[in-house]
Amino acid sequence: MRSVRRRRPAAGLLSASLTVLSAALLTGCFASGGADGGSGGSDGPPSGSSSGGRLRVALAFPPTENFSPYGADATLLSRLGVTEGLTRLDGNGAATPALAESWTRENARTWLFTLREARFQDGTEVTPAAVAASLTHATRATPLPTALSGVSLTATPSGDHRVRVTTEAADPALPQRLAGPSLAVLAPKAFKAFTADGADGANVKRGAAGGGAKAGEGVRPDLVATATGPFALAKVNGSASATLSRFDDYWGGRAHASGVDAKFIADGTARANALRSGDVDIAEAIPVSQAASLTEGTAREVPTARNTSLVLNTRSGVFADPAIRAAARAAIDTPALAKGVYEGHADPGQGLYGPALTWAEGKRVRPAGRARPASAQDVRAALEGRAVTLATYDNRPELPETAQVLQQRLEKAGFTVKLTVREYGRLESDALAGKFDAVVAARNSMLDTGDPVSILSSDFTCDGSYNLALLCDKAVDRAVATADAVADQGERQDAAMAAEARILGTDAVVPLVHQRIIVGVAPSVRGVDLDPYERSLVTAGTRR
């Protein structure tokens, strides 16, 4: 492949763009982990330098949707350095340039993005038409990417180097939204195959195991060498492993490593053992029980916006009653969970925004309108001799132990509890369908957009695309809509906290702990991106 001539943005243009950005973007201070031992960005060696060795990486979650970029697998692709969008997030959650080198806000609903010169991994140029088409496919995906929950947007080419993005309603957080892994930009080749009716979307429904797409559900875009990141997906071995090749024409400079060999190892102890034995160079999500046994200096603790929560089914079953939900919430001892199960590597749950988001503490609003907890006798009467199903997944090893502790606490409060533990890929679709009474889940509240309001829309509104609680509360919807209309950074955070109080007041979700993630890194490895948003791990600068 021939090299791409890189345009350097004029200082005035970039400065003006960032000035507009600073007024419009809606982020607060974030305790960022940053890159480990070197640049975590795209500062690869010059084209003529020697190649580095291949990186061996163990990831906790296997692909559940055949590497569809529109669901949970999108984060796998971004963490492996395969995909990227128009923007990316910095440590404070602000949008910074990626495939777009600058942008301006033309009016309340319209933004103009100027593209840098870059190529897709199949050798074709990143053009405004290709970017607009890729974003359009994402808006038609089934299910809709969580980053687009509650948002309708249109992307159109504008001249040789620009893309105009217009939203149906004002969206001050659009540059952050476009940094979401599920809105990665893909080459036209990725979308060649479609169903007869022309629908776009994932090859497999969110979380469904096996089976191809049905008419109207669309097909999965082809991710083999059609993205723009420093590493190209070359081969996928089901849900066991994937092979990535270095993309030598990456716009940010050729990567240090010659490629990546990724293994998907759901068992946390097995991931830690693979790191200890030298079988892998990087292992994500090391269990807290294994951290102390790693070689000194290899366990890197990262403060994140990830929360472990108890989510209650508000639509059906015993937890449809607010008083029963309140009884479950009152039974839980969050400091004991943080100290016991997480061995001090987590903070007791305070809300949907934890201490890693430093702006949240001074803005927290006391939940109002909570129901009075039912007594143990009333709980037993409501159950009528039945057990509630409490489900979780074992990809994060602390979750089953957390669920066991909750089981004991709930049973003391009058509940009879049946515990179900599966791998995440076999749990998600049933959880979204309301087949469990309660779910213990870990969720990064800033993962999808970096905007504090977006997580509320996707997870707790009537039309939310990841609403595990199946919550549909008009007061909550109004509070979230009010927050989403605010442009000023500080005022938007205030409105988000008011909406958080409304959500917590329903007891649909009980925050348990705010997590710190432990990443295992071999002593010889440099440049791992210890990203508080958990979107990035391997970059062009990662090497051994």
Side-chain angles (χ1 to χ4, degrees), residues 299-317:
R300 315 292 171 82
E301 189 167 274
V302 187
T304 73
R306 179 170 295 279
N307 304 323
T308 297
S309 300
L310 174 66
V311 185
L312 303 177
N313 184 344
T314 64
R315 180 178 297 176
S316 61

Side-chain angles (χ1 to χ4, degrees), residues 1 3 6 44-51 246 248-249 253-255:
M1 299 180 186
S3 297
R6 299 179 179 85
S47 182
S49 67
S50 60
S51 298
R246 179 169 56 199
D248 287 342
D249 270 351
R254 197 173 71 160

Side-chain angles (χ1 to χ4, degrees), residues 352-364:
L352 303 176
Y353 311 108
L357 292 163
T358 55
W359 55 263
E361 181 57 34
K363 297 176 179 285
R364 201 169 304 281

Side-chain angles (χ1 to χ4, degrees), residues 136-137 139-142 191-201 214-219:
T136 299
H137 282 288
T139 66
R140 298 174 180 173
T142 305
F191 306 102
K192 290 295 185 183
F194 297 99
T195 53
D197 64 1
D200 305 311
K214 299 176 183 178
E217 289 175 9
V219 297

Side-chain angles (χ1 to χ4, degrees), residues 341-377:
V341 175
Y342 287 85
E343 300 180 14
H345 294 283
D347 300 294
Q350 301 175 51
L352 303 176
Y353 311 108
L357 292 163
T358 55
W359 55 263
E361 181 57 34
K363 297 176 179 285
R364 201 169 304 281
V365 178
R366 184 180 180 86
R370 276 179 164 165
R372 184 176 180 178
S375 67
Q377 182 178 353

Side-chain angles (χ1 to χ4, degrees), residues 57-367:
V57 181
L59 299 179
F61 290 85
T64 60
E65 299 155 328
N66 296 335
F67 275 114
S68 166
Y70 300 138
D73 292 356
T75 307
L76 296 178
L77 295 165
S78 68
R79 288 176 69 75
L80 289 172
V82 175
T83 56
E84 57 190 358
L86 289 179
T87 61
R88 60 166 58 101
L89 298 183
D90 67 12
N92 291 321
T96 59
L99 289 175
E101 63 184 16
S102 63
W103 52 91
T104 57
R105 190 175 189 179
E106 295 184 314
N107 55 54
R109 299 190 301 112
T110 305
W111 300 72
L112 189 63
F113 293 83
T114 300
L115 305 180
R116 67 175 74 252
E117 289 194 10
R119 286 189 175 276
F120 292 109
Q121 294 159 351
D122 65 358
T124 59
E125 292 186 6
V126 176
T127 64
V131 171
S134 184
L135 291 176
T136 299
H137 282 288
T139 66
R140 298 174 180 173
T142 305
L144 189 71
T146 52
L148 293 178
S149 182
V151 175
S152 177
L153 64 80
T154 302
T156 57
S158 179
D160 293 339
H161 304 293
R162 293 180 175 87
V163 175
R164 180 171 282 107
V165 181
T166 302
T167 54
E168 188 174 287
D171 185 15
L174 183 68
Q176 292 166 288
R177 191 178 306 281
L178 293 177
S182 58
L183 299 184
V185 174
L186 303 175
K189 178 183 175 182
F191 306 102
K192 290 295 185 183
F194 297 99
T195 53
D197 64 1
D200 305 311
N203 191 40
V204 181
K205 280 187 176 180
R206 176 184 286 272
K214 299 176 183 178
E217 289 175 9
V219 297
R220 172 182 63 87
D222 183 0
L223 269 293
V224 176
T226 58
T228 61
F231 297 102
L233 192 63
K235 182 180 178 181
V236 178
N237 180 23
S239 61
S241 63
T243 302
L244 285 66
S245 301
R246 179 169 56 199
F247 175 39
D248 287 342
D249 270 351
Y250 178 54
W251 62 266
R254 197 173 71 160
H256 285 273
S258 58
V260 179
D261 297 312
K263 295 180 180 179
F264 303 102
I265 305 175
D267 183 81
T269 300
R271 288 195 302 277
N273 287 338
L275 183 69
R276 273 191 291 260
S277 65
D279 289 339
V280 300
D281 305 305
I282 304 167
E284 70 168 1
I286 296 293
V288 294
S289 61
Q290 298 290 320
S293 63
L294 295 180
T295 302
E296 185 177 357
T298 59
R300 315 292 171 82
E301 189 167 274
V302 187
T304 73
R306 179 170 295 279
N307 304 323
T308 297
S309 300
L310 174 66
V311 185
L312 303 177
N313 184 344
T314 64
R315 180 178 297 176
S316 61
V318 67
F319 289 123
D321 183 343
I324 305 297
R325 296 199 298 269
R329 182 250 308 159
I332 295 168
D333 185 348
T334 57
L337 284 172
K339 183 178 180 180
V341 175
Y342 287 85
E343 300 180 14
H345 294 283
D347 300 294
Q350 301 175 51
L352 303 176
Y353 311 108
L357 292 163
T358 55
W359 55 263
E361 181 57 34
K363 297 176 179 285
R364 201 169 304 281
V365 178
R366 184 180 180 86

